[in-house]
Amino acid sequence: MHDLTATGDPVLAEDEIRVEVGVFLKEGTLALAKDGQILAPFHALVKFNFSADGPWLADSVKFSGKASDGTSAVLAVDLLNDTFDGARAGLPESIWEVVALVATSAGDIGITYSYTSGG
């Protein structure tokens, strides 16, 4: 057993609040392809950032799974456009569906999320 101690009273830096929420995906329900590589993800981790003017923003998702050659692989997807004021255009609808599933799971911890795909 390890001795663990802690001191201080942590305070959140409200302009820097980020939460990552992960879910496991049922095997075979999603396949992602990028640059000829195919990934069968079994886990999705979405990073949400706090927005003082509205709901939380999902800014990225990281998929973990198996590549077509059987090795472990990760695919990270930026969800916000280059000016960080809206959804990135051209992302597949299934990625937004995963984000919406994760956001639904995150509702239990108080994250509210407004879904508008990048089209």
Side-chain angles (χ1 to χ4, degrees):
M1 191 170 239
H2 299 285
D3 289 330
L4 176 66
T5 62
T7 59
D9 295 314
V11 176
L12 292 177
E14 290 191 24
D15 57 339
E16 293 293 327
I17 296 175
R18 293 183 183 96
V19 174
E20 292 182 349
V21 180
V23 295
F24 287 95
L25 304 171
K26 187 173 182 179
E27 186 176 341
T29 59
L30 180 63
L32 302 172
K34 182 178 180 185
D35 299 329
Q37 296 286 359
I38 297 174
L39 175 69
F42 55 78
H43 189 263
L45 182 68
V46 177
K47 181 169 51 169
F48 294 91
N49 288 319
F50 178 71
S51 170
D53 298 332
W56 288 71
L57 297 173
D59 74 10
S60 64
V61 59
K62 182 169 63 172
F63 293 98
S64 302
K66 294 223 182 245
S68 52
D69 63 3
T71 61
S72 295
V74 173
L75 174 64
V77 178
D78 290 328
L79 300 171
L80 296 177
N81 61 27
D82 292 338
T83 57
F84 304 104
D85 62 357
R88 182 170 299 281
L91 293 179
E93 189 68 23
S94 58
I95 289 178
W96 292 112
E97 290 173 11
V98 169
V99 171
L101 287 171
V102 173
T104 300
S105 297
D108 293 338
I109 58 173
I111 292 176
T112 57
Y113 173 76
S114 176
Y115 172 69
T116 304
S117 73

